[in-house]
Amino acid sequence: MGRKILFVTTDQQRYDTLGCNGGKLSRTPVIDALAAEGIRYERAVPQSVVCMPSRSTMITGQYPSTHGVWMNGVPLPVDAPSVAELLQQNGYQTALIGKAHFEPFLDPFGRFVENTLAATGEPTAQNRWYDGSIGDHRGFSHLEFATHGAAGPWHYTRWLLENHPECAGMYYSAIDNLFNVNAAGGGDANSPQVKKNEIEREWYHTDWVANRTINWLDTLENDDDWFCWMSFPDPHHPWDPPESEMGRIDWRDVPLPEGYLGSRDEREKAIDAKPRHWRMWYDGQLVSNYEAPAKWVPATLTEDQVREINARNAVECELIDEALGRVLAAIEQKGWTDDVDIIFTTDHGELQGDFGLMFKGPYHVDALMRLPLVWRPAPSTTPTQAVVTKPVELLDLAPTFCAIAGIAPAEWMQGQALPVDDDDASKRGFERALTEWDSELFGVGVYLRTITRDQWVCTAYLPGYVHDGTEGELYNLAEDPLQTNNLWEDRDYQSVRADLVADLWDHQPPVHEPRLELEAPV
Amino acid sequence: MASVRREIRINCSPDEVWAVVGNPTLIHYWFPGMTNAVVDGNSRVITTATGITLPEVIVTNDSVARRFQYRIDSPIMQEHLGTIDVFDLHDGTSLVAYSTNAVPDPMALIIGGGTGAALVELKRQLELGEGPALAGAQARLGES
């Protein structure tokens, strides 16, 4: 019998939403306790700041350029490499419960496996694997899907409609009637993507994901090795947690985030120091990607809206923490705790008021790129508590699962198992993290390549719709943690910039051929 | 209005390609995720694998220019025009371009993704020399 793996992901969660990372708003005692027993990473960096490419990186252990999912709406091929296939081949029981999003959601032709599974009633489908064999879909023998509400063809929607149909309409409609991300406001402050949701807490998707995870664990034998990816759709917008839980935090008491800066003038000055698509989006002059409401203008964001959204986001984080606590209690009840590795992270961050912005896009700053990551190794391995300050990547998760399972990482993996402390990180060369952005929406192309190294984050812009390829961003994270001072053009930092840019281009990964097509907006 | 274009080169003559593309009753044999197509005059109703039925109006079916155009006539579309052009590359091969113009804009991406998959399937059947779309086209030729 080997070690069991509980891989917990959330969607669009900031680093500073956890108590163990210094967060003050949401209470996250369960995750904080895992960090206190294990390893907390202070500079975990995604390889993309949107869902599909980032999740594809988690499962393949590859950069977006290599796995080919360059933006939301580009499906990960069913025969792409998958760490779950490796684990299953090595005797692991495997499940993914919650949000997958390896394939586009908007799928009227029913072309994508993950959109059709709930209707078949089958726990998985048979597909070609990367090694040419036929096996369970992406290596998971059990799949149950949910996303940010009660729309779509997934298991949670079906469950809600069958058991509590009156609740389906209580959720905010994430997409409007023109198939755009909905800009409609709600709540007390008319905040975008906010709605007071009267659904019972027990029927909300966060608790459903935990319930279904516990239900799957109940099907296993004591001596089974297992890998369970428990994937919560929150705290991604819409921000419509059960209204019964909103008494936890009065949004009027929520402090404005540091990144919101002091005044409109300061925010606009910081934005104006960045490449111009920042200001164009802020003023409503440019929509470069589908992920934020096309009809919403960031400059209209009010202080009350920031407070209200952050309160709701914090409640969603608390519900996740409590749901995880229930799953851990179920594992404890089975007597498995000592042999279970738990890894908690997310796919990317959320602007959440920084610079007066919300949602996400081609903005490679900490709001989107500094992620919560905690690894509590199985207590039977007598782990040492540590904080890792060196940069690590979501790319490193797949080889970490292999290391936990005692199997060699696959040759197609581009990362390495997560370091257990800074010494380990230094010895094994954890020096830099790379992040990519490629978007093309109705003729607007934006292309960024970013390196995070030492105390620097440096983004080089490729030619696109509003960029000529000379633009960039350079921030000193040690001296400018809010990334308000863009040093890209500063004469005093040209050697730093040149060194980082050279390192960035020296470490670009192989590119997937042929280029995969955008099949849907998301 | 948003516009998406997909194209593919097929190692078959334009007449062979047009025999499939120009026959509106055959589209569900080469468009993945379409399960049925019923044609009545210049009207066509297609059904998708998720059970959606979409009424369409055939706007152009020009066998000389080898251009087929249709419009989805449904409340979910404010505007739509689908265009399939078959070009003779004069080397025994053809270029097929499938364009989607639509309002709301995201519908162009949603439908456009399907058209890309359709071209891949069209090429597969034509170059293999067999498949339901070809069988349908040959049956039609036999009738005439």
Side-chain angles (χ1 to χ4, degrees):
Chain A
M1 192 175 74
R3 288 153 68 180
K4 309 171 196 302
I5 304 168
L6 180 64
F7 178 38
V8 186
T9 56
T10 63
D11 195 342
Q12 201 155 318
Q13 183 170 3
R14 288 170 64 108
Y15 175 84
D16 54 13
T17 57
L18 297 184
C20 58
N21 289 339
K24 299 273 194 299
L25 196 52
S26 46
R27 291 157 298 181
T28 54
V30 174
I31 300 164
D32 297 347
L34 294 173
E37 297 168 17
I39 307 152
R40 184 173 64 82
Y41 297 85
E42 292 198 335
R43 187 54 66 180
V45 181
Q47 281 52 76
S48 168
V49 298
V50 294
C51 300
M52 290 181 67
S54 188
R55 289 160 184 271
S56 297
T57 288
M58 292 181 192
I59 195 171
T60 64
Q62 296 181 334
Y63 289 101
S65 283
T66 304
H67 60 58
V69 180
W70 49 273
M71 183 39 60
N72 278 345
V74 178
L76 182 69
V78 291
D79 59 354
S82 165
V83 68
E85 292 170 3
L86 277 187
L87 293 167
Q88 198 183 56
Q89 281 173 329
N90 283 272
Y92 271 69
Q93 302 293 326
T94 52
L96 193 165
I97 297 165
K99 183 178 173 182
H101 210 185
F102 305 122
E103 299 172 351
F105 283 166
L106 298 177
D107 180 23
F109 300 110
R111 294 191 295 130
F112 301 109
V113 174
E114 287 149 24
N115 294 336
T116 59
L117 265 179
T120 70
E122 298 295 323
T124 188
Q126 297 302 297
N127 277 313
R128 182 184 299 278
W129 282 8
Y130 184 68
D131 67 6
S133 61
I134 302 294
D136 292 341
H137 182 64
R138 304 195 193 281
F140 292 103
S141 61
H142 185 90
L143 295 152
E144 286 187 80
F145 298 128
T147 186
H148 316 289
W154 300 287
H155 298 77
Y156 172 68
T157 307
R158 183 166 285 237
W159 173 84
L160 195 68
L161 290 173
E162 286 174 2
N163 294 282
H164 310 288
E166 72 282 6
C167 296
M170 294 177 178
Y171 279 99
Y172 182 90
S173 180
I175 305 293
D176 66 17
N177 58 1
L178 296 179
F179 298 92
N180 282 304
V181 175
N182 202 342
D188 295 324
N190 196 34
S191 308
Q193 292 264 319
V194 162
K195 184 183 179 189
K196 294 185 178 182
N197 184 351
E198 299 301 332
I199 194 170
E200 297 281 334
R201 184 232 167 115
E202 291 74 17
W203 304 337
Y204 188 65
H205 49 68
T206 296
D207 275 14
W208 182 88
V209 169
N211 293 343
R212 298 311 300 163
T213 300
I214 293 169
N215 193 65
W216 181 74
L217 294 172
D218 284 341
T219 68
L220 303 176
E221 302 293 332
N222 275 338
D223 58 355
D224 279 341
D225 296 333
W226 51 263
F227 171 73
C228 182
W229 185 340
M230 178 167 67
S231 180
F232 294 107
D234 268 353
H236 188 294
H237 58 91
W239 294 289
D240 55 357
E243 200 59 23
S244 60
E245 305 306 307
M246 286 310 302
R248 297 161 181 247
I249 299 171
D250 185 339
W251 68 262
R252 293 167 185 83
D253 297 335
V254 172
L256 291 166
E258 272 188 273
Y260 188 64
L261 307 179
S263 67
R264 177 173 290 270
D265 282 349
E266 283 181 68
R267 290 190 290 278
E268 293 182 355
K269 184 181 170 195
I271 289 173
D272 286 342
K274 303 175 188 299
R276 65 190 182 120
H277 72 291
W278 283 77
R279 181 69 194 233
M280 292 176 77
W281 181 46
Y282 176 81
D283 285 335
Q285 295 174 352
L286 180 75
V287 175
S288 65
N289 56 294
Y290 183 80
E291 285 69 27
K295 292 179 183 166
W296 177 72
V297 177
T300 65
L301 186 68
T302 67
E303 291 186 0
D304 278 355
Q305 289 172 342
V306 175
R307 294 179 203 276
E308 181 172 45
I309 287 171
N310 286 354
R312 290 174 167 274
N313 186 292
V315 168
E316 293 183 355
C317 292
E318 291 194 0
L319 295 181
I320 288 168
D321 193 75
E322 291 163 17
L324 172 58
R326 285 201 297 119
V327 173
L328 298 187
I331 288 171
E332 175 68 18
Q333 201 166 29
K334 293 174 183 300
W336 296 345
T337 299
D338 276 355
D339 295 320
V340 179
D341 281 68
I342 301 160
I343 294 183
F344 175 92
T345 191
T346 191
D347 52 358
H348 54 79
E350 154 69 48
L351 283 158
Q352 224 169 308
D354 283 9
F355 309 106
L357 304 170
M358 282 283 169
F359 308 105
K360 59 186 179 286
Y363 312 105
H364 282 181
V365 290
D366 272 6
L368 301 185
M369 293 214 308
R370 189 181 191 189
L371 306 186
L373 173 61
V374 170
W375 176 15
R376 199 294 307 274
S380 60
T381 65
T382 58
T384 303
Q385 193 275 339
V387 175
V388 173
T389 63
K390 301 284 185 187
V392 300
E393 303 176 282
L394 295 185
L395 187 76
D396 300 320
L397 292 168
T400 304
F401 301 141
C402 290
I404 293 168
I407 60 180
E411 43 79 27
W412 37 261
M413 292 179 181
Q414 296 173 319
Q416 49 180 335
L418 287 166
V420 295
D421 55 34
D422 267 345
D423 283 346
D424 184 29
S426 295
K427 283 177 194 160
R428 293 196 286 127
F430 283 85
E431 294 175 28
R432 68 185 65 73
L434 305 180
T435 306
E436 309 174 5
W437 175 281
D438 292 314
S439 62
E440 293 173 357
L441 185 69
F442 307 129
V444 177
V446 180
Y447 313 95
L448 320 180
R449 295 292 181 271
T450 296
I451 182 169
T452 303
R453 198 191 76 187
D454 305 323
Q455 80 266 35
W456 302 98
V457 59
C458 175
T459 298
Y461 282 60
L462 301 170
Y465 183 73
V466 295
H467 307 119
D468 64 13
T470 63
E471 303 88 341
E473 296 176 64
L474 176 65
Y475 303 107
N476 184 332
L477 296 171
E479 296 178 3
D480 179 24
L482 300 179
Q483 293 113 68
T484 59
N485 187 17
N486 182 9
L487 302 170
W488 180 261
E489 298 289 356
D490 192 313
R491 286 185 187 176
D492 293 340
Y493 293 92
Q494 291 311 294
S495 64
V496 173
R497 167 181 150 180
D499 176 48
L500 288 164
V501 169
D503 199 21
L504 172 66
W505 295 129
D506 281 349
H507 288 88
Q508 287 303 293
V511 175
H512 189 281
E513 294 288 348
R515 187 178 198 241
L516 300 178
E517 296 277 7
L518 189 74
E519 300 281 355
V522 68
Chain B
M1 178 180 291
S3 185
V4 171
R5 187 189 66 230
R6 299 294 185 90
E7 59 273 321
I8 203 163
R9 186 173 186 170
I10 298 178
N11 191 23
C12 293
S13 73
D15 287 341
E16 291 171 291
V17 178
W18 180 252
V20 174
V21 169
N23 184 339
T25 67
L26 301 178
I27 191 164
H28 59 299
Y29 292 131
W30 58 277
F31 197 119
M34 270 189 207
T35 57
N36 198 23
V38 176
V39 176
D40 181 10
N42 69 343
S43 298
R44 178 169 70 178
V45 178
I46 63 101
T47 305
T48 76
T50 59
I52 299 169
T53 58
L54 290 173
E56 299 173 340
V57 176
I58 297 170
V59 178
T60 306
N61 192 350
D62 183 337
S63 60
V64 176
R66 298 190 192 93
R67 163 170 279 198
F68 183 86
Q69 291 181 298
Y70 64 100
R71 178 165 54 82
I72 296 174
D73 189 17
S74 164
I76 65 167
M77 306 292 290
Q78 293 176 1
E79 295 182 45
H80 171 260
L81 182 66
T83 301
I84 313 173
D85 284 309
V86 181
F87 298 100
D88 187 350
L89 295 181
H90 303 289
D91 60 359
T93 71
S94 307
L95 178 70
V96 186
Y98 198 148
S99 304
T100 304
N101 296 331
V103 178
D105 291 357
M107 287 303 294
L109 295 176
I110 295 168
I111 296 172
T115 66
L119 290 178
V120 171
E121 176 61 15
L122 180 69
K123 175 183 174 76
R124 189 190 71 78
Q125 291 191 38
L126 281 164
E127 293 187 349
L128 194 63
E130 61 183 42
L134 267 67
Q138 284 157 4
R140 180 76 176 271
L141 286 172
E143 287 170 13
S144 61

